[in-house]
Amino acid sequence: MSNSDSQSSPEALAALPLRENLRGLSPYGAPQLDVPVTLNTNENTHPVPDEVVQAIAASVAEAAVTLNRYPDREFTELRKRLAEYLGHGLSETQLWAANGSNEILQQLLQAFGGPGRTVMGFPPTYSMYPLLAAGTDTGYLAGVRGENFSLTAASAAQQVAEHRPNVVLLCSPNNPTGTALGLDVVEAVYEAAEFHQGMVVVDEAYAEFALAGTESALSLLPGRPRLVVTRTMSKAFALAGARLGYLAAAPEVTDALRLVRLPYHLSAVSQATANAALQHYAVLLETVEDIKRQRDRIVEGLRALGLDPAVSDSNFVFFGGLGDAHAVWQGLLDRGVLVRDVGIAHHLRVTAGTEAETTAFLDALREVLTGA
């Protein structure tokens, strides 16, 4: 915990009767520094288009008239619009939304995890998974990846069969590596978890950025009542500040989440914002193709510098081949470019931003590596 994140001393916190499994933990968070080029949190750095801003403003203004009343507890219109957006024959009974995909994952662990239960992830992966496990008092099992951080169907299924976790978290595309899982991995994990009635959650936060031919786990939902696919409006929709995540699953899964949600957990303002955005999703997603072009440009630029970028299905690039990754991170920061040091030796992660931001990153990195 950094001083900027904390309002008290470590000693004062330690003196409280905190749950034992929370002692010594640090809160999630990336550095929030005032620099010209911020490429460390996988945001969509393109601004929200004016017509969408106006539509959201009008929708929120309309909602403001009745803010003296509680919002639609079932966020019915939003679930219908999300089902229409995702397709795959989904109905609104299969959709659920919350304040960011992190709350979606938290609710899933509240319903299917908890004391005496376990959740399995496969590090390196999204660093919130063990924190969500700790927050819900769910045991966290760290699975093992293979060479180049890969995960095969056989290996994943074997680990799930051996450890019998109550919940399995599969991040695809994976954060921080950016690589997507084949559907064979999801199918194999689901079959392995079926023997002990385990839930399988596929976190597809970056799905809209996937390479051509990469398939979504949404296609596997029919006939699999314990499979869940989570998404977010933070990335491709450029709505990180709106905090809107959602999932698709069997209707009984959404019923289970009704048991643990807070009353009226999705505000009228959040619903109005998301509904307006979904009416203009084609406009919002126009930036996705540009981001993918910049991502591919980063991959090519890194290779030209003699580095080792991973193939990316996301809006960021994970790359290795660095002698001292943190020194390179600092060198970039000194030149006004903030990327993410994910704590993996010889590797860094950079968000694919605008064309200008991508140029600034590649130019700064070239200077750092050459000592210019």
Side-chain angles (χ1 to χ4, degrees):
M1 183 183 295
S2 68
N3 290 333
S4 61
D5 293 329
S6 175
Q7 301 299 312
S8 65
S9 68
E11 293 77 17
L13 177 60
L16 291 176
L18 198 64
R19 281 182 6 219
E20 287 302 320
N21 71 320
L22 297 181
R23 291 189 179 277
L25 295 183
S26 297
Y28 175 85
Q32 292 185 309
L33 305 177
D34 185 15
V35 296
V37 181
T38 304
L39 300 173
N40 67 323
T41 54
N42 299 340
E43 296 161 312
N44 184 331
T45 64
H46 294 70
V48 179
D50 286 342
E51 68 177 276
V52 183
V53 171
Q54 294 169 16
I56 290 173
S59 183
V60 170
E62 183 178 351
V65 176
T66 56
L67 284 181
N68 60 310
R69 300 291 188 179
Y70 285 117
D72 175 9
R73 184 177 59 234
E74 293 300 310
F75 42 94
T76 308
E77 179 185 352
L78 177 57
R79 288 189 291 114
K80 288 180 178 178
R81 291 191 182 280
L82 288 170
E84 179 183 354
Y85 167 67
L86 288 182
H88 289 273
L90 294 167
S91 71
E92 65 268 23
T93 63
Q94 296 176 266
L95 271 294
W96 187 255
N99 296 283
S101 57
N102 287 317
E103 187 179 38
I104 290 286
L105 295 170
Q106 182 183 59
Q107 290 178 344
L108 287 166
L109 291 183
Q110 287 175 315
F112 302 109
R117 295 191 172 200
T118 57
V119 57
M120 174 175 273
F122 294 89
T125 190
Y126 185 31
S127 58
M128 267 302 295
Y129 293 160
L131 294 177
L132 288 166
T136 56
D137 207 5
T138 307
Y140 184 75
L141 301 173
V144 178
R145 290 178 178 266
E147 188 177 358
N148 293 325
F149 312 111
S150 62
L151 186 63
T152 66
S155 173
Q158 185 274 326
Q159 293 179 67
V160 169
E162 177 184 352
H163 295 285
R164 299 170 63 87
N166 299 97
V167 182
V168 182
L169 295 174
L170 298 173
C171 193
S172 181
N174 186 47
N175 181 7
T177 60
T179 48
L181 294 174
L183 293 189
D184 61 322
V185 178
V186 180
E187 291 176 298
V189 166
Y190 189 89
E191 290 176 11
E194 198 160 19
F195 288 101
H196 59 273
Q197 300 293 288
M199 299 293 295
V200 178
V201 180
V202 184
D203 180 353
E204 291 191 343
Y206 301 93
E208 285 90 350
F209 301 102
L211 295 164
T214 300
E215 297 180 275
S216 167
L218 291 169
S219 63
L220 299 179
L221 285 173
R224 294 181 174 87
R226 289 178 305 282
L227 179 63
V228 180
V229 180
T230 65
R231 293 283 188 96
T232 182
M233 296 183 74
S234 293
K235 310 302 181 182
F237 279 78
L239 291 176
R243 311 309 304 127
L244 202 296
Y246 58 101
L247 65 72
E252 53 267 40
V253 173
T254 63
D255 280 343
L257 298 188
R258 287 179 172 88
L259 301 175
V260 299
R261 65 154 173 213
L262 293 173
Y264 309 102
H265 72 284
L266 208 55
S267 78
V269 172
S270 295
Q271 293 182 46
T273 299
N275 283 324
L278 285 164
Q279 291 179 69
H280 297 81
Y281 71 79
V283 176
L284 282 167
L285 296 182
E286 286 177 0
T287 62
V288 169
E289 291 306 313
D290 182 60
I291 291 168
K292 290 164 71 174
R293 282 191 293 271
Q294 299 310 316
R295 173 200 65 199
D296 296 342
R297 181 181 163 213
I298 290 172
V299 170
E300 293 172 3
L302 292 172
R303 286 175 178 160
L305 290 171
L307 300 176
D308 183 24
V311 174
S312 178
D313 279 273
S314 57
N315 72 333
F316 57 86
V317 179
F318 177 72
F319 60 100
L322 302 170
D324 185 339
H326 189 74
V328 173
W329 178 88
Q330 185 63 57
L332 289 169
L333 182 60
D334 293 342
R335 289 163 175 80
V337 178
L338 179 61
V339 300
R340 189 67 171 265
D341 184 347
V342 293
I344 299 174
H346 312 300
H347 290 77
L348 293 173
R349 191 195 71 193
V350 59
T351 304
T354 63
E355 181 178 2
E357 289 170 331
T358 297
T359 298
F361 162 69
L362 290 173
D363 288 348
L365 181 60
R366 188 176 299 106
E367 290 180 8
V368 172
L369 295 178
T370 60

